[in-house]
């Protein structure tokens, strides 16, 4: 059988953040509730000239620079913060990256889950066409109503993955455990900018979906708990990953070793929820922050999207993977960020909306190569500042 999986992966997050200590002070909340209770430190904040498209292009750029565009004939864009009801966000990214015109483009949606079916579809496709590659992008801005319980779990980021029959990082296993149920734990009707959610209920359904998907994974011939060196979870906030890991270990009647999940949480703690990108940010964090050599080791992944669908699957780390990471680039992105005041956060939170074709021009805030210059006549104007 042809091996398929992730040839390379990279992430991007905007250069500004608000510290949860600042939010806690402003709202008179014990900062430990955020740092320990939900396990988060920072919320990444896009400028008004940044969105899912610019973050996606920034995330994918290093992959294109290192591996080229040859063979890429499909872009799968996963998001739950879509910018258009019709046009796929990946089409803008396709142009910004200079991808070949003979390429298919489509957007996928199922809350935080949709990058996982994108990855699975891409693996199936390159198994049939091993000369081709698929660019899978997950990009989201997690924004909740201010002063709601979700506010502290906001964030923003994108992950880009090159999927091929030459997986230099991770081979994706063929077995998946699946679970879906029709529930209202978190949803965003078309007329709303921010989601509606039942926070506590959502955490319980997440844990239930994990166990149901894990059971299905086992029944389909998946690996045993003991076969895994690391676990990555969808991370709406890192404490959720801790709860998930504890829950899974208990269900598998295994001794709890939190070190198996902690390396995956480091980036999320300082980025916040990035919805579709979150579990893949955890995967990058695992590869880049695990102290031991993971060659040949298995990683268990649990992807969850409210509404709800969960999937448990596995990945095996490929020999020489270290040479294909972007660790320094990623750490520079995180280290070069700047904190903003509460007042600036409020201003950034309120993204301007162009009403009825009105013209909006955005100041240069983005530090990256790509930006949303404005909106005019209902059209979003994306620019490559180096073109
Ligand atoms: P809350 O209700 O404000 O917090 O928000 P809480 O009172 O439950 O406290 C949280 C934890 O902090 C608790 O620990 C407290 O004990 C602890 P736990 O009982 O969980 O072990 N705590 C403290 N710890 C130390 N020092 C203190 C202190 N005070 C309290 N002083 C909630 C929590 C998750 C409800 C909220 O963040 C929320 O509504 N988030 C949004 C929804 C969400 O993220 N759900 C997660 C599962 S669904 C999912 O992952 C999908 C999603 O990503 C979207 C998608 O798929 O599209 C959201």
């Amino acid at each position: 059988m042809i091996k398929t999986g992730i040839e390379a992966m990279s992430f991007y997050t905007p250069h500004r953040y608000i510290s949860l200590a600042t939010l806690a002070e402003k709202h008179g909340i014990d900062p430990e509730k955020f740092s320990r209770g939900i396990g988060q430190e920072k919320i990444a904040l896009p400028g008004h000239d940044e969105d899912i498209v610019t973050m996606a292009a920034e995330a994918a750029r290093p992959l294109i620079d290192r591996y080229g565009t040859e063979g890429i004939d499909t872009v799968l864009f996963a998001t739950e913060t879509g910018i258009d009801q019709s046009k796929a966000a990946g089409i803008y990214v396709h142009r910004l990256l200079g991808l070949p015109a003979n390429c298919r483009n489509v957007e996928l949606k199922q809350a935080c889950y949709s990058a996982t079916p994108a990855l699975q579809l891409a693996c199936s496709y390159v198994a049939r066409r091993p000369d081709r590659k698929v660019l899978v992008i997950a990009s989201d801005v997690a924004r909740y109503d201010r002063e709601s319980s979700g506010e502290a779990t906001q964030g923003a980021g994108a992950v880009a993955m090159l999927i091929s029959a030459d997986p230099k990082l991770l081979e994706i296993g063929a077995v998946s455990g699946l679970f879906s149920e029709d529930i209202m734990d978190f949803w965003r009707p078309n007329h709303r900018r921010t989601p509606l959610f039942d926070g506590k209920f959502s955490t319980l359904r997440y844990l239930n979906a994990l166990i149901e998907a894990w059971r299905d994974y086992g029944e389909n011939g998946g690996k045993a708990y003991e076969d895994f060196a690391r676990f990555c979870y969808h991370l709406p906030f890192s404490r959720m990953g801790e709860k998930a890991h504890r829950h899974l270990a208990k269900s598998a009647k295994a001794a709890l070793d939190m070190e198996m999940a902690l390396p995956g949480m480091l980036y999320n703690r300082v980025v916040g929820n990035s919805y579709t990108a979150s579990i893949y940010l955890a995967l990058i964090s695992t590869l880049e922050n695990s102290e031991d050599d993971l060659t040949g080791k298995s990683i268990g992944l649990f992807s969850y999207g409210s509404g709800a669908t969960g999937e448990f699957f596995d990945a095996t780390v490929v020999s020489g993977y270290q040479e294909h990471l972007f660790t320094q680039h990623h750490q520079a992105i995180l280290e070069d960020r700047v904190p903003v005041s509460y007042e600036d956060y409020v201003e950034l939170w309120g993204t301007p909306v162009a009403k009825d074709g009105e013209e909006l021009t955005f100041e240069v805030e983005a530090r990256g190569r790509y930006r949303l210059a404005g909106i005019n006549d209902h059209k979003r104007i994306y620019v490559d500042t180096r073109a």
Side-chain angles (χ1 to χ4, degrees):
M1 201 161 90
I2 293 172
K3 292 183 173 171
T4 61
I6 304 175
E7 184 167 332
M9 60 198 305
S10 174
F11 81 82
Y12 186 78
T13 189
H15 73 276
R16 281 182 290 207
Y17 67 87
I18 179 166
S19 161
L20 282 169
T22 305
L23 202 65
E25 188 187 351
K26 188 73 190 175
H27 293 166
I29 294 171
D30 179 354
E32 296 243 317
K33 172 172 178 184
F34 295 152
S35 61
R36 292 202 308 143
I38 66 161
Q40 292 300 113
E41 291 170 35
K42 297 173 182 175
I43 295 171
L45 298 168
H48 295 329
D49 62 345
E50 296 174 288
D51 67 4
I52 55 163
V53 168
T54 63
M55 291 193 301
E58 298 292 350
R61 188 75 250 170
L63 304 185
I64 303 301
D65 288 347
R66 192 186 282 179
Y67 300 95
T69 60
E70 204 185 325
I72 300 177
D73 75 352
T74 304
V75 177
L76 301 180
F77 196 111
T79 188
E80 65 173 286
T81 28
I83 47 160
D84 195 288
Q85 298 282 14
S86 170
K87 181 167 174 162
I91 296 188
Y92 298 107
V93 178
H94 175 268
R95 171 177 60 83
L96 293 171
L97 296 176
L99 297 182
N102 300 112
C103 185
R104 58 171 74 80
N105 255 295
V106 72
E107 192 168 303
L108 296 91
K109 177 178 70 182
Q110 189 353 68
C112 299
Y113 166 69
S114 63
T116 298
L119 170 63
Q120 298 290 12
L121 291 170
C123 286
S124 304
Y125 174 61
V126 297
R128 205 158 54 116
R129 294 297 309 262
D131 57 328
R132 302 299 167 96
K133 296 184 185 186
V134 178
L135 182 61
V136 170
I137 303 179
S139 185
D140 268 304
V141 178
R143 194 165 284 160
Y144 290 84
D145 284 340
R146 289 196 287 109
E147 300 189 41
S148 71
S149 70
E151 183 179 26
T153 69
Q154 297 177 108
V159 169
M161 300 182 265
L162 206 50
I163 309 306
S164 79
D166 180 19
K168 294 179 169 68
L169 281 186
L170 297 148
E171 191 188 323
I172 300 298
V175 177
S176 274
L178 304 169
F179 178 73
S180 282
E181 64 172 345
D182 182 2
I183 50 169
M184 302 304 275
D185 61 333
F186 172 108
W187 67 106
R188 184 165 70 85
N190 286 346
H191 61 273
R192 282 186 61 101
R193 236 180 100 239
T194 49
L196 300 160
F197 60 99
D198 186 340
K200 294 256 170 20
F201 177 61
S202 73
T203 61
L204 297 176
R205 296 327 289 167
Y206 172 119
L207 294 177
N208 179 63
L210 166 62
I211 298 309
E212 292 293 341
W214 169 251
R215 183 177 305 142
D216 190 49
Y217 173 77
E219 285 172 9
N220 285 314
K223 299 181 183 193
Y225 184 94
E226 298 70 40
D227 296 333
F228 291 104
R230 295 285 184 279
F231 288 91
C232 291
Y233 299 93
H234 165 56
L235 295 174
F237 48 94
S238 69
R239 187 80 198 295
M240 188 73 230
E242 284 182 41
K243 287 186 182 189
H245 190 57
R246 189 167 288 119
H247 212 60
L248 187 65
K250 192 172 167 201
S251 157
K253 299 188 174 47
L256 177 66
D257 178 0
M258 211 38 101
E259 291 303 315
M260 295 174 95
L262 284 177
M265 296 179 195
L266 296 176
Y267 290 163
N268 179 275
R269 275 188 77 92
V270 294
V271 167
N273 196 353
S274 53
Y275 289 160
T276 52
S278 156
I279 184 177
Y280 298 100
L281 184 63
L283 186 53
I284 295 176
S285 186
T286 299
L287 295 177
E288 295 184 352
N289 294 305
S290 289
E291 282 172 14
D292 45 333
D293 182 353
L294 295 178
T295 302
K297 303 266 173 72
S298 295
I299 300 177
L301 296 113
F302 176 63
S303 178
Y304 179 77
S306 285
T309 288
E311 177 165 348
F312 191 95
F313 63 108
D314 62 75
T316 306
V317 183
V318 175
S319 170
Y321 72 98
Q322 296 95 334
E323 289 158 40
H324 298 280
L325 298 173
F326 290 88
T327 312
Q328 280 181 342
H329 171 67
H330 293 150
Q331 286 176 357
I333 287 175
L334 293 176
E335 280 160 21
D336 290 349
R337 297 186 305 163
V338 290
V340 301
S341 66
Y342 183 81
E343 291 68 30
D344 286 347
Y345 153 67
V346 171
E347 205 275 324
L348 286 169
W349 187 92
T351 306
V353 180
K355 292 193 189 92
D356 242 352
E358 91 178 288
E359 183 171 358
L360 289 182
T361 305
F362 299 123
E363 308 243 313
V364 178
E365 293 182 278
R367 271 204 199 150
R369 172 169 171 174
Y370 303 104
R371 53 184 301 272
L372 173 66
I375 303 174
N376 191 13
D377 193 19
H378 304 278
K379 295 171 190 161
R380 298 172 83 82
I381 303 154
Y382 291 102
V383 293
D384 175 351
T385 58
R386 296 209 204 135

